Amino acid sequence: MPAAVAVPGDANVVEDLFGFLRLLSDGSIVRSPEDPEFSPATFPRDHPNVQWKEAVYDKANNLRVRMYKPSAGAEPVGRKLPVIVHFHGGGFCLGSCTWGNVHSFCLRLATEIGAVVLSAGYRLAPEHRLPAALDDAEVFLKWLSDQSANSADGWLAEAADFGRVFVTGDSAGGTMAHHHAVRAGSATLKRAEGDLDPVAIKGYILLMPFFGGVDRSKSEAAEFPLEETPFVNLALTDQFWRLSLPVGATRDHPIANPFGPDSPGLGSVEFPPVLVVTGGTDILRDRNVDYAERLAALGKPAKVIEFRDQPHGFFTLDPWSETTGELIQLVARFVVDSCVVEPKIA
């Protein structure tokens, strides 16, 4: 846990997230400058087969993206690499594209899939409550579209195939991926013929997306012995929603619950292939499965894969584990399969 941060004046702590973030009674917010224990500095910072660098994609909000690309040889000569846009997790309140566990996971994605990986930061709650993070995702995809059209960053443009883009996210990042899919799919239906975006999103990969709702799912309501309580538990997810949703909103807010009473219908939204990954011991497991099954019932190309004995975010808790490798190979197959063009029948 981080070292204690002094609370100013007569303010009391109203919300405390492991000491990393404290919301005070006077409305002020105190954040620890330290990285969490689950993101140790001992995680590899570099990989012999991956180059990486940072760029600013939103100067006004000082939002950065870490860009990763495999060394030469990942694709045949002259063929560019698919692009994976990644949004980190943290309940919309914690996390960074610079944290060691996120960085390591992206290094491994780049080298084992053979893809350009773009890990984008975004504004966090409660300083910037939702929909700020969703808006930042839109700004980033617009930045990426500009990069594609103008080749502004030669380092990126020489490797990236902007016609094969995938949007993925971990936990809250997976929620962001869903909402971008809805916005993009709705815009596709309205876009004038011939008004084409230079970035073609071929699929979405939701890694244990962070959804909620007023009514508890079976996996949320499950009781655990005190010594077996998972790190991501009901009290923590409720706290994340209190701190990140618009003030006064419930967990049935459309951002939290895509099939809630006030959520827009998804039947008319055009979705590319969607892969949902869940863990068998994750309290969000049932919401993840329900989400994928409801999309499929609407005729959307969605499927869910469960890692039976794995907890929430296992791939960032141990980015170099064998199971994380299995997940990355699953993502790699999804990328390949989603780019296959079905032959037209004359």
Side-chain angles (χ1 to χ4, degrees), residues 123 128-137 183 244-246 253 255:
R123 289 173 293 169
H128 305 282
R129 288 181 176 266
L130 293 164
L134 309 188
D135 294 340
D136 293 341
R183 291 185 182 186
S244 64
L245 286 171
H253 188 284
I255 293 177

Side-chain angles (χ1 to χ4, degrees), residues 211-235:
F211 295 130
V214 171
D215 295 333
R216 303 299 193 188
S217 69
K218 184 177 179 180
S219 59
E220 287 174 334
E223 295 184 1
F224 298 89
L226 184 60
E227 67 276 7
E228 297 178 14
T229 300
F231 175 73
V232 177
N233 54 62
L234 199 58

Side-chain angles (χ1 to χ4, degrees), residues 36-58:
E37 293 177 0
F38 54 79
S39 181
T42 54
F43 278 149
R45 183 172 175 80
D46 294 295
H47 190 286
N49 298 325
V50 179
Q51 305 170 45
W52 67 274
K53 71 171 189 174
E54 284 189 8
V56 174
Y57 75 85
D58 182 346

Side-chain angles (χ1 to χ4, degrees), residues 10-85:
D10 297 328
N12 298 315
V13 177
V14 177
E15 299 272 9
D16 191 332
L17 274 172
F18 310 113
F20 296 119
L21 182 157
R22 292 183 174 94
L23 175 63
L24 307 184
S25 55
D26 63 2
S28 59
I29 296 161
V30 180
R31 286 186 179 267
S32 169
E34 300 180 21
D35 287 349
E37 293 177 0
F38 54 79
S39 181
T42 54
F43 278 149
R45 183 172 175 80
D46 294 295
H47 190 286
N49 298 325
V50 179
Q51 305 170 45
W52 67 274
K53 71 171 189 174
E54 284 189 8
V56 174
Y57 75 85
D58 182 346
K59 291 183 180 179
N61 292 306
N62 193 31
L63 295 177
R64 308 186 69 82
V65 55
R66 280 200 175 182
M67 305 187 290
Y68 307 78
K69 66 178 182 180
S71 303
E75 286 278 274
V77 175
R79 181 174 170 83
K80 294 186 177 183
L81 302 171
V83 176
I84 296 178
V85 174

Side-chain angles (χ1 to χ4, degrees), residues 297-321:
L298 291 171
K300 313 305 179 185
K303 65 178 180 179
V304 61
I305 301 295
E306 179 177 334
F307 283 74
R308 186 173 300 276
D309 298 319
Q310 295 302 315
H312 189 79
F314 67 87
F315 43 90
T316 52
L317 294 174
D318 191 353
W320 300 97
S321 71

Side-chain angles (χ1 to χ4, degrees), residues 168-204:
T168 184
D170 157 29
S171 192
T175 313
M176 293 170 65
H178 159 75
H179 285 288
H180 181 269
V182 173
R183 291 185 182 186
S186 301
T188 298
L189 298 174
K190 299 177 182 178
R191 189 175 294 133
E193 186 176 352
D195 183 16
L196 299 178
D197 191 325
V199 169
I201 297 178
K202 296 295 187 180
Y204 290 86

